[in-house]
Amino acid sequence: MNRLHCAIGALAMVSALVFADVAGSQDGHIRMGADSQLEAWDAEAGQWLSPEQFWLAYAARNGGLTWGRGSDYPPYGEVKEGDTFMVELDSGPCLMEFFHKRWRRANDVRRWDTAFSDIGGCAKVFD
C-alpha cells in the first residue's frame, strides 16, 4: 500500500507541475527570466521573448507595424481599425493598436498579462 501512496503522490506532484506550466504558458504571460529580465510567452512561437520582441512578433503576424515607430502618432484621419504603432517615449516603447476609434495599448485590446501596462512606455503613454 505504501508504494501505491507514493505513486499517487508522485503523480499528483507531476500533474501540479504540468498544470502550473500550462497556466504560465498562456499567450502574453509575463515572468522574470533567469537573467532577471522580463519575458513574455509567445504561444504561437512556443518561446519566451522580451516584451518588445513579443510585441514585434504579434505585429509581424498581423501584417507588421502599420505605422512603424516614433514619438508622433499618425494622422488620425488616415488610421484604420486594427492598425498598430510602436510609440517611443523617454521611458521606452509601447505597442499601440487602433481599436474602436482610438489608440489603445495593445495589451489592453488583446488582454495579455496586466504587467504589460507597466513595461517600457506603457505606464506613461496616456500622460
Side-chain angles (χ1 to χ4, degrees), residues 33-106:
D35 60 355
S36 297
Q37 297 294 315
L38 291 178
E39 298 176 326
W41 179 252
D42 184 327
E44 191 162 321
Q47 63 182 349
W48 291 97
L49 304 171
S50 74
E52 187 171 344
Q53 290 170 324
F54 176 84
W55 286 328
L56 293 172
Y58 165 77
R61 285 192 292 272
N62 292 285
L65 289 173
T66 315
W67 294 95
R69 304 173 77 118
S71 57
D72 296 325
Y73 282 86
Y76 184 83
E78 297 177 27
V79 179
K80 297 181 180 103
E81 185 79 4
D83 281 0
T84 55
F85 173 65
M86 186 77 78
V87 66
E88 298 279 354
L89 302 175
D90 290 341
S91 53
C94 183
L95 182 64
M96 304 298 288
E97 187 167 343
F98 199 73
F99 185 73
H100 291 184
K101 301 187 181 188
R102 68 182 180 117
W103 286 108
R104 300 172 193 261
R105 294 178 296 203

Side-chain angles (χ1 to χ4, degrees), residues 1-10:
M1 201 65 161
N2 279 341
R3 284 186 167 189
L4 179 60
H5 283 100
C6 287
I8 290 172

